Amino acid sequence: MAEGKVASFVYPRLCVAYFCEFAIWAAWAGTLSVFASSSLRFTSNEVAWLYCAIPFGAIIGPLFVGPLADRFFAAQKVISVLHFIGGIALFVCGYLCHTHQATFPSMMGLLLLSGICYMPTQGLINSVVFQNLSKPSMGPYVFVFGTIGWIISCLLIAAFFGGEKSYNFFFVGAGFSIFLAIYSLTLPNTPPKGITPSEGKRNFFVSTFGLDAFKLFKDPAFALFVICAFMASIPACGFYFVVQTPYLSQMGYPSPVALGTLNQFSEIFFMTALSTIVIIVGLKVVLLLGMVAWFSRYLIFALPGYGIAPEYDFVFSVIGLLFHGFSYSFLYIGAYLYAESKAPANLKTSVQSMMIFLMLGVGQVLGAQIYPPLAKYNQPVVDNVAVSVDQLQTSDKEIDLKSILKPEVNVPIPAWNGDENSWIQYLDLASQTKKLMGITDTSDSRNVDLGKLLKDQPLTPQSIDTLQEDKLVQDGVRIQYGEENKGEITVTVRYKKEDLKKICEKISAGKPDYSLTRRHWLEAQAVGWKNIFTIPAAFIGVFFLIFLIFGQAPKDTNKEQTT
């Protein structure tokens, strides 16, 4: 009876730990790309390298952490130390952003440290879960709290901490990490297993990364499975997490971080359904469906770029987001299950280590590098406008802008926000939360909004002439200047009607009788998402066809060995 009480209490304790585990990653996974590019002014290549922190953690972390937990220290203690160090790294990231000291080398170093500390904790916390549950089959009921933690973390950041526009997400991630560092010490003791005689004879590097599993490549069917799964994973999560929030932002949707949680809502459903689907269709079909899901998902995201049914752009984007649970579960989890079925009993651990190293490590590093070259060759039509330095003002009376800036300065083009009466605006969690709490905006800052000024009219030469220039004012615009743009100043921009006409002429390719809607305005500022999504989709499609034609369903190797 006592054991039953302990077991029943272990479950909620493990659920809390798993909730926090994924709340940490979620805090910056969906926000960093936009913040780093817009606020820190990092290049797309630098942003892509920041997103390599987690996969590099999957590659480097096991070298240092796995042996410690397996052979010398209790898992919960190693988790505590790692999350404390990782939490401090995230906190310092936020502090550097707050004090305007953030540089790419410093942020890359800190996030890499965070990733190296974070990734090993996923395997360690899984070990704690499986070793302390009364039935291993209860594992998925714990794992689902990781998905819930991801959702709650994103919603909190979107509603209360400024979303992708503020560095506060670093502090949220740090808070979850340090809390989990303390909380993990209360988890059930999971002592190290020590070194078995067989492990003592194995090469350390080979056992760490599961490289002894490569002997299975003598089997052509296994080699083809690993190659196709690995290649399909390259344009999957590593690429997707870099582009998700920029895509939703450039499409003009409010609260892209909150909207992105549709990924995890769908993941809850598909994760719980996967085991049943495997029984019905088999593992080869599951893996093929995972590839089809990524292929279809990217084509759905590309549809607005092809101009297909523009009134349904938002619907297409939502469908693409909801495909995440399908694509992630069937490709990644399906690949792990496939590998488990193909591997003999003595190499199952090695095969899983190899698949994680390839798909979550190398695959995600390569995937993160896809976006920069695609963005480079699919630049926006227009994302800024050159204005006279006379159109800029600063609150600092001692600064003469003409002495530090060029006669013409590039500034962002005016915003054109959506209809405030549209139901889509309810997705703006920060705004809706403030309304529910009775908080009103008392700031004196001016933010030009062409949507309010035009009142559902398109931008034409005639409608521009009717606008009042004293309404075309934007406060809080940051301008970089000096050698290598190391200096920065915040100014107020006063746009002129001629500035709007210059932008419109560029968008309309010089046509004098242009009539531009908000959709045209947003498309001109966005990178070429049509190509950026279509090319990875085609890449996945190639390996889908190869595996469809030549791949084989796995046989139960354990059953073969016993007959």
Side-chain angles (χ1 to χ4, degrees), residues 55 97 117 132 134 179 257 322 335 392 413 424 429 441 445 505 557:
C97 295
C117 291
N132 291 281
S134 58
F179 171 80
V257 176
L322 290 174
L392 308 180
I413 69 177
I424 295 178
L429 295 189
D441 185 5
S445 61
E505 289 171 4
T557 53

Side-chain angles (χ1 to χ4, degrees), residues 188-212:
N189 184 44
T190 308
K193 64 181 180 181
I195 305 176
T196 65
S198 61
E199 288 176 325
K201 296 176 182 178
R202 293 171 66 192
N203 179 277
F204 166 73
F205 186 79
V206 169
S207 62
T208 297
F209 290 113
L211 299 185
D212 46 0

Side-chain angles (χ1 to χ4, degrees), residues 93-376:
C93 283
Y95 175 78
L96 291 179
C97 295
H98 174 70
T99 56
H100 304 291
Q101 300 180 64
T103 63
F104 173 71
S106 64
M107 298 296 286
M108 185 69 226
L110 288 166
L111 284 174
L112 181 58
L113 174 61
S114 173
I116 291 172
C117 291
Y118 176 80
M119 282 307 290
T121 65
Q122 292 204 353
L124 292 171
I125 205 165
N126 285 348
S127 177
V128 173
V129 169
F130 283 122
Q131 291 190 45
N132 291 281
L133 285 177
S134 58
K135 296 179 182 178
S137 59
M138 291 181 63
Y141 297 104
V142 175
F143 298 155
V144 74
F145 278 85
T147 303
I148 296 172
W150 187 294
I151 293 171
I152 297 300
S153 179
C154 289
L155 294 180
L156 283 174
I157 290 168
F160 298 104
F161 295 99
E164 73 282 359
K165 298 178 182 179
S166 170
Y167 51 79
N168 287 329
F169 59 83
F170 282 122
F171 295 129
V172 174
F176 275 118
S177 189
I178 293 173
F179 171 80
L180 185 53
I182 299 170
Y183 179 79
S184 61
L185 296 176
T186 71
L187 294 176
N189 184 44
T190 308
K193 64 181 180 181
I195 305 176
T196 65
S198 61
E199 288 176 325
K201 296 176 182 178
R202 293 171 66 192
N203 179 277
F204 166 73
F205 186 79
V206 169
S207 62
T208 297
F209 290 113
L211 299 185
D212 46 0
F214 278 91
K215 66 179 66 175
L216 297 178
F217 272 66
K218 295 177 182 178
D219 177 3
F222 180 82
L224 180 68
F225 149 68
V226 174
I227 292 171
C228 289
F230 167 64
M231 296 302 288
S233 75
I234 293 175
C237 284
F239 167 74
Y240 174 69
F241 283 132
V242 175
V243 303
Q244 171 193 296
T245 305
Y247 168 74
L248 296 175
S249 297
Q250 292 185 10
M251 289 296 290
Y253 305 140
S255 198
V257 176
L259 189 59
T261 60
L262 290 177
N263 293 326
Q264 283 65 49
F265 279 110
S266 68
E267 193 176 297
I268 294 174
F269 171 77
F270 284 103
M271 279 283 195
T272 54
L274 183 59
S275 58
T276 303
I277 296 173
V278 168
I279 295 172
I280 296 172
V281 302
L283 283 169
K284 178 185 176 180
V285 175
V286 164
L287 197 58
L288 287 169
L289 288 173
M291 296 180 189
V292 168
W294 281 106
F295 172 84
S296 304
R297 182 185 204 199
Y298 285 161
L299 286 186
I300 291 170
F301 281 138
L303 287 178
Y306 285 101
I308 299 174
E311 66 273 18
Y312 294 106
D313 284 355
F314 181 70
V315 175
F316 292 145
S317 297
V318 169
I319 293 173
L321 290 169
L322 290 174
F323 257 67
H324 182 78
F326 183 9
S327 53
Y328 174 80
S329 301
F330 281 57
L331 178 62
Y332 285 86
I333 308 303
Y336 302 151
L337 293 173
Y338 192 105
E340 177 76 9
S341 297
K342 290 285 289 184
N346 64 318
L347 288 178
K348 287 189 181 294
T349 301
S350 294
V351 167
Q352 290 298 328
S353 297
M354 180 189 68
M355 295 304 299
I356 290 173
F357 170 73
L358 290 175
M359 296 183 73
L360 292 184
V362 180
Q364 288 205 63
V365 169
L366 296 177
Q369 302 307 313
I370 295 175
Y371 177 63
L374 290 178
K376 180 180 179 181

